[in-house]
Amino acid sequence: MLSQRLRTARKAKGLTQEELAEHVCTTKGTISNYENNHSTPPNDMLRHLADILNVTTDWLLGRTDVASPASIPASDSGEKRSLDELLQEKIDDPDDYYFLDGYLEASEEEKKEIRRYWYDLKKQWKVRHVKEDRSPSLFDITENLKKK
């Protein structure tokens, strides 16, 4: 899906593989590999490609048929946001992005260990009644969803 949509978006912008490669600071061969499904771009490259081609990463990955970020309606403040929107908000923060990126690349055993430490830490914070001056965490959101 990614390879086809990347090629479609590139051609729609009137760019050659070489021109797109220059925009994202890579080689024509790398773009060719992405378009021929020989390799997959890392997350930061995927975001850069989406920005240059004026499409969403979700569209490139085939998760949605909404290609343009401008065609996504802005949510009202009173409207509930989806988990995808909340996760994207976290990914947009560089600190959260690098944490999540490292987590996603970890082995299953490492992920279990990270989750165990994280849950223990969250329990300690609740016991100490630490108040947070920020929006609810992804952990809190998923825990509340599990309860419903």
Side-chain angles (χ1 to χ4, degrees):
M1 179 71 65
L2 170 67
S3 58
Q4 297 164 341
R5 289 193 170 185
L6 181 59
R7 178 178 287 122
T8 300
R10 176 182 58 79
K11 288 183 177 182
K13 288 288 272 188
L15 297 172
T16 64
Q17 287 181 341
E18 189 170 10
E19 290 168 332
L20 179 57
E22 287 175 19
H23 284 293
V24 296
C25 302
T26 192
T27 64
K28 176 185 181 269
T30 299
I31 300 298
S32 176
N33 283 337
Y34 296 158
E35 288 187 3
N36 290 305
N37 211 23
H38 295 299
S39 63
T40 304
N43 292 341
D44 57 335
M45 175 61 80
L46 183 65
R47 287 180 22 191
H48 199 44
L49 288 165
D51 289 344
I52 296 300
L53 298 171
N54 196 30
V55 296
T56 64
T57 54
D58 278 352
W59 181 81
L60 281 174
L61 294 170
R63 296 187 62 198
T64 182
D65 290 329
V66 178
S68 172
S71 63
I72 300 172
S75 61
D76 298 332
S77 58
E79 184 179 321
K80 288 186 178 180
R81 295 181 297 164
S82 71
L83 285 177
D84 285 340
E85 290 170 317
L86 293 167
L87 183 57
Q88 186 62 49
E89 182 180 298
K90 292 294 179 192
I91 291 172
D92 288 341
D93 181 300
D95 290 333
D96 290 334
Y97 170 80
Y98 288 115
F99 172 81
L100 289 172
D101 187 49
Y103 175 81
L104 294 173
E105 306 247 333
S107 70
E108 283 305 312
E109 185 176 320
E110 291 169 328
K111 286 179 183 178
K112 285 179 185 176
E113 181 100 2
I114 290 167
R115 285 192 301 264
R116 187 175 62 79
Y117 282 125
W118 179 246
Y119 292 139
D120 289 344
L121 182 59
K122 290 295 285 185
K123 285 178 189 175
Q124 290 173 18
W125 284 341
K126 287 181 181 181
V127 168
R128 293 180 190 152
H129 303 292
V130 175
K131 292 191 176 186
E132 300 172 8
D133 292 337
R134 60 179 173 78
S135 59
S137 70
L138 191 57
F139 172 82
D140 292 331
I141 293 166
T142 55
E143 286 298 305
N144 288 338
L145 288 174
K146 287 179 187 176
K147 291 176 185 175
K148 293 180 181 179

